């Protein structure tokens, strides 16, 4: 062991606390060596992510104190203090740690690399109001409140509108509770919701939901831009329209084309602003928020003013139909000019030019009167009773007032454009999808956690207060709109009945322009914020390196601005712009946000139910039932608003999930899904412990015993190939290996062996576990594996091991003794055993057998293993086209014809298709070949014993001659490969040559010819002759019938009870399998593994 000296070193400043969870930097230096750079001691996974190798903060500053590690009072802990900090050091680091701003640095902070290095990170100082509450308000209030809430109230009525608001706000409130719990369980860096979900549910869920959240934010920018363009073209500068309708029916398509052109220009302009100067977007955020607040205040002021002085906005009605007010000047059929009654502009719209006494007019126009009603009756008018219930319309349906008298007459089609009509068909579910984006934006506080003075206090309080405030505003707005505004005006989406004014603007005080201008700037600001946040979210996902094809979007300008991510965001937002309809874009982003919120609730519920030790949120007012309720509401809202969009969003998320699972980089973030898997596995294992599996559920649970060469490479990888073909990805597979040596000294070798086997398992597509045991004897290590592998009910029931090739040529009996000992151990443990012989000739997973047979030689009943194994093999594509043949042996007193019928019926009841053959073996005379083969076997065994004996004696003699004072090494001359040579006590033994010893040595040497003559006159044992006879005769029959078979399965005879016959047992197995290319020797485990019952 090298001698290490701990020397005090000067403290080296670490910039930006870049190794917060890295290894503690302590200077371990051998005397005379150079001081290593401390940056190299931080463990990294190669992708810029520090591994969590230590739970302690970096204690470099503690190393600067001279006697910090070797305090006299802590001398007992000197070894621990080399790698772990003292409590005082840890606490001092915690106190000095500052949670610097997370995410990409702003453009103005990155004007030069040198300047950024000189700057010290500012300590976060934002409180709950500025850091969480107001940003959430700005993100939640948006375009829907100003452009669509009045229309939603008009269509759904006050009661259903309140239900819509309640559903959406309850969903976001429950999500905020779950989010607060997650956000207060540690620091949330850049990425916000993505970071929370990925670290709680794993990279697969995190990547899928993170991309959905990104797409939702991107489509939100498109929705805000479309809202801004709608305000611009409808209410601010209508003259700016490029496309104009040629007739009344083409107005919608012209408007959509105008939205596409101006929306694309606005998106390009915003993208340039975000690219050039993000700082301007952040500085203007307060201005945009002020516009929102002023607009909302003006709505309340106008509503309460309408109690005494309602605004003058009259509506012109023809019968009970609402007319488009900007097409004529006076709401009357005739006007008086110079005391003469003349037709009005309205008359000219509905009638042909001519005499008023016999006009050619629209029937509905002639039979109904023109009246004027107040568009804003005011808060005290009682209009709330009419607006209480829903009035959904079909596309093209004319807006009518229920209380007015009307004569039903068929009007001319060309006059349809004079009426206010519905541009889309409406329903409760559609309105839910359109309104929900106005409840989103609750993540703004958690995204800024790095800027907060006390994030774990500010995020829950600020977010929940913001949701409460916005919910109250929405509830009160629904009631105020229904109480102050006429129903036909509420259902007028674009304000055609009130001279093209914004409907909510007609209620505001002091002027409608307050709302128009305020809503325009607020929607522009919200679009800029979304266009700023979405690329950073994509950059955070790309930098985590869990989705390979997104890696390019992790790069950007030198100051960290996500250039490529911004480009992709602009392209996706352009798709939303080309849709050009605010009402169609809103449900799309609702899906993505709802899916994100669903998984936030799921993450909180999973962590709470698992009771993970690291789950210690400071926010205590959460419960798993609330999280499940929020998750259920998110799922319900997805399908309520648009079932087909919900399915598309789920398919997209599912595809991303499977892609990350199949192709993505492996990450271990201590997520809840891993914890959930552990809990499920524990539950399943406890259930399995109840009793042994039923015969119908029995399948080979393999323990594959592998051997490694000197370079730690798998010696016979085809064992793993065959195991994968047999398992077809099902059941348990444990790959075991024994490393010979001492555990303390061979730990590194064990890890290397484990990695080599895991790599080979991945190549051969073996799904299972690797178990390495370090033992002083290989035999003992194998016994440990057989006894201890598995857990509870998930234990192996079958052992697969390789054949000891070259055992005949080796003078060392270690290999075959270990093999036979393993056979005995599996038998004692009641485990099945499979020994593939000539395994190097077995097919790889890429080969296909287009014909051939799998032959089963059923000599003795083994519980059905021989029938089950070929059936399992045929499930794999390599063996699928092979046919199965079953052979059994009939003796002289057996009825072979009846045996064949019985076996065929047995296989029929087992539902196994196979050809059946009965082989008769009547010749019981022992041949001369059998006798000679047995004699050769026993002579070889005797010769090897004598060779080992003489070799050992020669070695002992040489040792004594070399050093008469050598240590006596006590050990058995017939020890196998694993038996240790036990050293005697280290006392010196003086050996002396005497005359008697010399004469004894001479007599031993003169006995060598006598030993040889005894060897030649040896007579074979009769039991060995009988066994050899069986092996020879069976081999002849098997080779005759199955010489061209793809695989031969054969009962493996049991080893002899007397260990003296072990070597003969190996010879019997060799004789039994001679001349066969691929043989699988099988021993049953002593229980039935196949049944005829259903």
């Amino acid at each position: 062991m090298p001698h290490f000296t701990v020397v005090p070193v000067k403290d080296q400043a670490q910039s930006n606390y870049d190794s917060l969870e890295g290894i503690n930097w302590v200077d371990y230096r051998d005397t005379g060596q150079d001081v290593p750079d401390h940056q190299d001691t931080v463990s990294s996974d190669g992708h810029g992510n520090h591994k969590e190798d230590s739970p302690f903060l970096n204690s470099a500053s503690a190393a600067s104190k001279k006697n910090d590690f070797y305090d006299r009072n802590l001398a007992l802990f000197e070894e621990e203090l080399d790698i772990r900090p003292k409590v005082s050091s840890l606490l001092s680091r915690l106190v000095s740690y500052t949670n610097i701003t997370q995410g990409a640095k702003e453009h103005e902070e990155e004007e030069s690399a040198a300047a950024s290095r000189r700057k010290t990170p500012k300590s976060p100082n934002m409180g709950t109001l500025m850091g969480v509450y107001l940003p959430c308000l700005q993100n939640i209030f948006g375009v829907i409140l100003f452009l669509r809430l009045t229309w939603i109230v008009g269509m759904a009525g006050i009661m259903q509108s309140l239900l819509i608001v309640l559903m959406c706000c309850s969903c976001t409130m429950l999500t905020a509770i779950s989010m607060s719990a997650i956000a207060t369980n540690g620091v949330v860096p850049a990425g916000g919701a993505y970071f929370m979900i990925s670290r709680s549910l794993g990279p697969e869920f995190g990547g899928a939901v993170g991309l959905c959240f990104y797409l939702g934010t991107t489509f939100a920018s498109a929705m805000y831009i479309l809202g801004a363009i709608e305000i611009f073209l409808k209410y601010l500068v209508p003259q700016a329209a490029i496309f104009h309708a040629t007739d009344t029916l083409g107005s919608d398509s012209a408007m959509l084309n105008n939205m596409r052109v101006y929306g694309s220009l606005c998106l390009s302009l915003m993208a340039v602003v975000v690219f050039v100067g993000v700082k301007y977007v952040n500085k203007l955020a307060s201005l945009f928020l002020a516009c929102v607040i002023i607009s909302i205040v003006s709505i309340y002021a106008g509503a309460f003013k309408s109690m005494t002085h309602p605004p003058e906005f009259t509506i012109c009605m023809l019968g009970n139909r609402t007319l488009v007010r900007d097409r004529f000047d006076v709401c009357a059929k005739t006007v008086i000019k110079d005391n003469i009654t003349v037709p009005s502009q309205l008359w000219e719209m509905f009638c042909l030019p001519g005499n008023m006494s016999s006009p050619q007019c629209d029937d509905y126009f002639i039979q109904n009167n023109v009246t004027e009603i107040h568009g804003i009756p005011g808060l005290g008018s009682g209009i709330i009773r009419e607006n209480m219930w829903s009035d959904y319309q079909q596309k093209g349906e004319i807006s009518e007032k229920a209380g007015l008298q009307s004569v039903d007459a068929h009007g001319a089609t060309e006059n349809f454009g004079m009426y206010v009509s519905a541009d889309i068909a409406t329903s409760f579910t559609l309105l839910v999808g359109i309104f929900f984006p106005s409840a989103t934006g609750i993540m703004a506080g958690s995204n800024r956690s790095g800027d907060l003075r006390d994030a774990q206090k500010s995020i829950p309080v600020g977010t929940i207060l913001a949701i409460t405030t916005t919910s109250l505003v929405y509830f009160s707005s629904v009631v105020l709109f229904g109480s102050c505004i006429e129903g036909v005006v509420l259902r007028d989406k674009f304000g055609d009945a009130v001279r093209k004014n914004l409907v909510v603007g007609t209620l505001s005080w002091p002027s409608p322009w307050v709302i128009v201008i305020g809503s325009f700037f607020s929607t522009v600001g919200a679009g800029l914020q979304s266009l700023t946040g979405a690329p950073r979210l994509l950059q955070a996902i790309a930098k985590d390196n869990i989705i390979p094809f997104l890696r390019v979007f992790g790069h950007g300008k030198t100051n960290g601005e996500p250039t490529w991510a911004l480009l992709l965001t602009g392209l996706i937002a352009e798709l939303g712009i080309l849709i050009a309809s605010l009402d169609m874009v809103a449900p799309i982003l609702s899906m993505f946000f709802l899916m994100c919120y669903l998984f936030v609730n799921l993450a909180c519920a999973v962590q709470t139910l698992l009771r993970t030790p690291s789950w210690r949120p400071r926010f205590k007012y959460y419960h798993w039932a609330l999280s499940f309720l929020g998750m259920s509401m998110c799922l319900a809202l997805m399908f309520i608003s648009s079932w087909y969009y919900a399915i598309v969003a789920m398919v997209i998320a599912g595809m991303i999930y499977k892609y990350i699972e199949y192709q993505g980089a492996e990450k271990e973030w201590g997520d809840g899904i891993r914890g959930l898997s552990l809990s499920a596995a524990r539950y399943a294992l406890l259930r399995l412990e109840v009793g042994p599996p039923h015969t119908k559920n029995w399948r080979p649970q393999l323990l594959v015993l592998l051997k490694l060469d000197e370079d730690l490479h798998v010696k016979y990888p085809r064992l793993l190939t065959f195991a994968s073909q047999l398992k077809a990805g099902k059941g348990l597979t444990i790959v075991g290996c024994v490393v010979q040596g001492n555990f303390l000294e061979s730990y590194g070798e064990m890890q290397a062996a484990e990695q080599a086997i895991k790599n080979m398992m991945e190549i051969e597509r073996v799904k299972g576990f690797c178990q390495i045991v370090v033992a002083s004897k290989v035999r003992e290590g194998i016994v440990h594996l057989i006894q201890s592998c598995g857990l509870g009910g998930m234990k192996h029931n079958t052992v697969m091991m390789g054949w000891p090739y070259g055992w005949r040529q080796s003078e060392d009996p270690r290999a075959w003794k270990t093999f036979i000992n393993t056979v005995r151990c599996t038998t004692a443990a009641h485990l099945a055993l499979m020994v593939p012989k000539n395994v190097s000739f077995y097919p790889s997973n890429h080969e296909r057998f287009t014909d051939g047979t799998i032959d089963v030689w059923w000599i003795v009943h083994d519980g059905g293993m021989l029938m089950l194994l070929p059936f399992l093999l045929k499930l794999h594509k390599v063996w699928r086209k092979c046919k199965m043949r079953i052979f059994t042996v009939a003796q002289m007193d057996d009825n072979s014809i009846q045996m064949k019928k019985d076996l065929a019926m047995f296989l029929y009841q087992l539902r196994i298709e196979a050809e059946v053959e009965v082989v008769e073996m009547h010749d019981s005379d022992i041949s001369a070949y059998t006798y000679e083969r047995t004699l050769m076997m026993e002579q070889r065994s005797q010769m090897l014993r004598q060779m080992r004996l003489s070799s050992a004696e020669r070695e002992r003699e040489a040792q004594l001659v070399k050093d008469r004072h050598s240590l006596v090494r006590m050990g058995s001359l017939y020890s196998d490969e694993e038996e240790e040579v036990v050293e005697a006590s280290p006392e010196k033994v003086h050996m002396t040559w005497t005359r008697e010893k010399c004469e004894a040595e001479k007599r031993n040497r003169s006995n060598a010819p006598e030993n040889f003559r005894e060897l030649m006159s040896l007579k074979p044992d009769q039991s060995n002759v009988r066994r050899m006879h069986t092996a020879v005769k069976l081999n002849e029959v098997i080779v005759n019938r199955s010489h061209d078979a793809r695989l031969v399965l054969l009962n493996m005879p049991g080893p002899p009870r007397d260990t003296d016959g072990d070597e003969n047992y190996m010879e019997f197995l060799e004789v039994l399998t001679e001349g066969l290319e691929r043989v699988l020797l099988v021993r049953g485990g002593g229980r039935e593994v196949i049944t005829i019952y259903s």
Side-chain angles (χ1 to χ4, degrees), residues 266-283:
C266 185
L267 175 63
S268 304
L269 185 62
M270 285 184 176
V272 170
V273 170
V274 172
F275 178 77
V276 172
V278 179
K279 61 179 180 180
Y280 301 114
V281 177
N282 293 330
K283 288 180 179 177

mmCIF file of all heavy atoms in Angstrom, residues 266-283:
data_model
loop_
_atom_site.group_PDB
_atom_site.id
_atom_site.type_symbol
_atom_site.label_atom_id
_atom_site.label_comp_id
_atom_site.label_asym_id
_atom_site.label_seq_id
_atom_site.Cartn_x
_atom_site.Cartn_y
_atom_site.Cartn_z
ATOM 1 N N CYS A 266 -45.195 40.280 -37.693
ATOM 2 C CA CYS A 266 -45.049 40.556 -36.260
ATOM 3 C C CYS A 266 -44.147 39.507 -35.600
ATOM 4 O O CYS A 266 -43.297 39.850 -34.771
ATOM 5 C CB CYS A 266 -46.427 40.570 -35.606
ATOM 6 S SG CYS A 266 -46.409 41.025 -33.866
ATOM 7 N N LEU A 267 -44.317 38.253 -35.987
ATOM 8 C CA LEU A 267 -43.474 37.188 -35.423
ATOM 9 C C LEU A 267 -42.010 37.411 -35.785
ATOM 10 O O LEU A 267 -41.124 37.270 -34.930
ATOM 11 C CB LEU A 267 -43.950 35.828 -35.949
ATOM 12 C CG LEU A 267 -43.100 34.614 -35.538
ATOM 13 C CD1 LEU A 267 -43.126 34.416 -34.030
ATOM 14 C CD2 LEU A 267 -43.597 33.349 -36.243
ATOM 15 N N SER A 268 -41.752 37.778 -37.022
ATOM 16 C CA SER A 268 -40.370 38.030 -37.441
ATOM 17 C C SER A 268 -39.776 39.181 -36.645
ATOM 18 O O SER A 268 -38.620 39.119 -36.187
ATOM 19 C CB SER A 268 -40.327 38.335 -38.936
ATOM 20 O OG SER A 268 -40.910 37.297 -39.683
ATOM 21 N N LEU A 269 -40.553 40.253 -36.480
ATOM 22 C CA LEU A 269 -40.071 41.415 -35.739
ATOM 23 C C LEU A 269 -39.777 41.051 -34.286
ATOM 24 O O LEU A 269 -38.740 41.431 -33.719
ATOM 25 C CB LEU A 269 -41.114 42.531 -35.816
ATOM 26 C CG LEU A 269 -40.723 43.873 -35.178
ATOM 27 C CD1 LEU A 269 -39.514 44.470 -35.884
ATOM 28 C CD2 LEU A 269 -41.895 44.836 -35.216
ATOM 29 N N MET A 270 -40.685 40.295 -33.670
ATOM 30 C CA MET A 270 -40.476 39.888 -32.275
ATOM 31 C C MET A 270 -39.262 38.982 -32.131
ATOM 32 O O MET A 270 -38.497 39.090 -31.160
ATOM 33 C CB MET A 270 -41.717 39.154 -31.754
ATOM 34 C CG MET A 270 -42.891 40.060 -31.440
ATOM 35 S SD MET A 270 -44.245 39.102 -30.729
ATOM 36 C CE MET A 270 -45.416 40.397 -30.358
ATOM 37 N N ALA A 271 -39.069 38.068 -33.089
ATOM 38 C CA ALA A 271 -37.916 37.173 -33.030
ATOM 39 C C ALA A 271 -36.618 37.965 -33.114
ATOM 40 O O ALA A 271 -35.639 37.658 -32.415
ATOM 41 C CB ALA A 271 -37.992 36.149 -34.159
ATOM 42 N N VAL A 272 -36.593 39.003 -33.945
ATOM 43 C CA VAL A 272 -35.404 39.851 -34.043
ATOM 44 C C VAL A 272 -35.160 40.571 -32.721
ATOM 45 O O VAL A 272 -34.024 40.664 -32.241
ATOM 46 C CB VAL A 272 -35.563 40.856 -35.201
ATOM 47 C CG1 VAL A 272 -34.452 41.897 -35.168
ATOM 48 C CG2 VAL A 272 -35.552 40.128 -36.542
ATOM 49 N N VAL A 273 -36.241 41.073 -32.101
ATOM 50 C CA VAL A 273 -36.097 41.764 -30.816
ATOM 51 C C VAL A 273 -35.526 40.816 -29.757
ATOM 52 O O VAL A 273 -34.606 41.159 -29.007
ATOM 53 C CB VAL A 273 -37.461 42.328 -30.365
ATOM 54 C CG1 VAL A 273 -37.376 42.841 -28.922
ATOM 55 C CG2 VAL A 273 -37.899 43.447 -31.292
ATOM 56 N N VAL A 274 -36.056 39.597 -29.715
ATOM 57 C CA VAL A 274 -35.570 38.623 -28.738
ATOM 58 C C VAL A 274 -34.115 38.253 -29.024
ATOM 59 O O VAL A 274 -33.298 38.106 -28.108
ATOM 60 C CB VAL A 274 -36.465 37.361 -28.758
ATOM 61 C CG1 VAL A 274 -35.862 36.256 -27.901
ATOM 62 C CG2 VAL A 274 -37.857 37.705 -28.267
ATOM 63 N N PHE A 275 -33.769 38.135 -30.312
ATOM 64 C CA PHE A 275 -32.407 37.755 -30.680
ATOM 65 C C PHE A 275 -31.415 38.858 -30.338
ATOM 66 O O PHE A 275 -30.326 38.592 -29.828
ATOM 67 C CB PHE A 275 -32.355 37.440 -32.182
ATOM 68 C CG PHE A 275 -30.988 37.082 -32.673
ATOM 69 C CD1 PHE A 275 -30.450 35.825 -32.439
ATOM 70 C CD2 PHE A 275 -30.218 38.003 -33.370
ATOM 71 C CE1 PHE A 275 -29.179 35.490 -32.890
ATOM 72 C CE2 PHE A 275 -28.950 37.684 -33.826
ATOM 73 C CZ PHE A 275 -28.445 36.423 -33.581
ATOM 74 N N VAL A 276 -31.801 40.096 -30.592
ATOM 75 C CA VAL A 276 -30.859 41.207 -30.420
ATOM 76 C C VAL A 276 -30.733 41.599 -28.953
ATOM 77 O O VAL A 276 -29.628 41.769 -28.434
ATOM 78 C CB VAL A 276 -31.297 42.415 -31.268
ATOM 79 C CG1 VAL A 276 -30.438 43.646 -30.943
ATOM 80 C CG2 VAL A 276 -31.196 42.081 -32.736
ATOM 81 N N GLY A 277 -31.847 41.735 -28.257
ATOM 82 C CA GLY A 277 -31.758 42.247 -26.886
ATOM 83 C C GLY A 277 -32.846 41.722 -25.986
ATOM 84 O O GLY A 277 -33.943 42.284 -25.946
ATOM 85 N N VAL A 278 -32.554 40.653 -25.300
ATOM 86 C CA VAL A 278 -33.513 40.125 -24.335
ATOM 87 C C VAL A 278 -33.701 41.099 -23.184
ATOM 88 O O VAL A 278 -34.762 41.140 -22.557
ATOM 89 C CB VAL A 278 -33.026 38.746 -23.826
ATOM 90 C CG1 VAL A 278 -33.990 38.173 -22.808
ATOM 91 C CG2 VAL A 278 -32.865 37.795 -24.978
ATOM 92 N N LYS A 279 -32.685 41.908 -22.917
ATOM 93 C CA LYS A 279 -32.780 42.819 -21.771
ATOM 94 C C LYS A 279 -33.927 43.810 -21.952
ATOM 95 O O LYS A 279 -34.581 44.204 -20.989
ATOM 96 C CB LYS A 279 -31.466 43.563 -21.573
ATOM 97 C CG LYS A 279 -31.048 44.423 -22.752
ATOM 98 C CD LYS A 279 -29.734 45.149 -22.458
ATOM 99 C CE LYS A 279 -29.323 46.017 -23.650
ATOM 100 N NZ LYS A 279 -28.062 46.713 -23.371
ATOM 101 N N TYR A 280 -34.207 44.181 -23.216
ATOM 102 C CA TYR A 280 -35.305 45.116 -23.444
ATOM 103 C C TYR A 280 -36.652 44.465 -23.142
ATOM 104 O O TYR A 280 -37.564 45.107 -22.642
ATOM 105 C CB TYR A 280 -35.266 45.629 -24.886
ATOM 106 C CG TYR A 280 -33.973 46.328 -25.222
ATOM 107 C CD1 TYR A 280 -33.100 45.806 -26.155
ATOM 108 C CD2 TYR A 280 -33.630 47.528 -24.584
ATOM 109 C CE1 TYR A 280 -31.913 46.426 -26.461
ATOM 110 C CE2 TYR A 280 -32.430 48.170 -24.878
ATOM 111 C CZ TYR A 280 -31.572 47.612 -25.816
ATOM 112 O OH TYR A 280 -30.394 48.239 -26.104
ATOM 113 N N VAL A 281 -36.754 43.183 -23.474
ATOM 114 C CA VAL A 281 -37.993 42.469 -23.171
ATOM 115 C C VAL A 281 -38.222 42.443 -21.669
ATOM 116 O O VAL A 281 -39.333 42.700 -21.184
ATOM 117 C CB VAL A 281 -37.931 41.032 -23.737
ATOM 118 C CG1 VAL A 281 -39.200 40.260 -23.369
ATOM 119 C CG2 VAL A 281 -37.741 41.055 -25.240
ATOM 120 N N ASN A 282 -37.179 42.140 -20.916
ATOM 121 C CA ASN A 282 -37.323 42.075 -19.462
ATOM 122 C C ASN A 282 -37.607 43.446 -18.861
ATOM 123 O O ASN A 282 -38.351 43.559 -17.884
ATOM 124 C CB ASN A 282 -36.059 41.486 -18.845
ATOM 125 C CG ASN A 282 -35.864 40.021 -19.213
ATOM 126 O OD1 ASN A 282 -36.834 39.314 -19.420
ATOM 127 N ND2 ASN A 282 -34.620 39.583 -19.311
ATOM 128 N N LYS A 283 -37.000 44.500 -19.433
ATOM 129 C CA LYS A 283 -37.229 45.837 -18.892
ATOM 130 C C LYS A 283 -38.625 46.345 -19.209
ATOM 131 O O LYS A 283 -39.205 47.122 -18.453
ATOM 132 C CB LYS A 283 -36.172 46.802 -19.433
ATOM 133 C CG LYS A 283 -34.794 46.561 -18.823
ATOM 134 C CD LYS A 283 -33.761 47.532 -19.376
ATOM 135 C CE LYS A 283 -32.399 47.283 -18.724
ATOM 136 N NZ LYS A 283 -31.346 48.169 -19.278
#
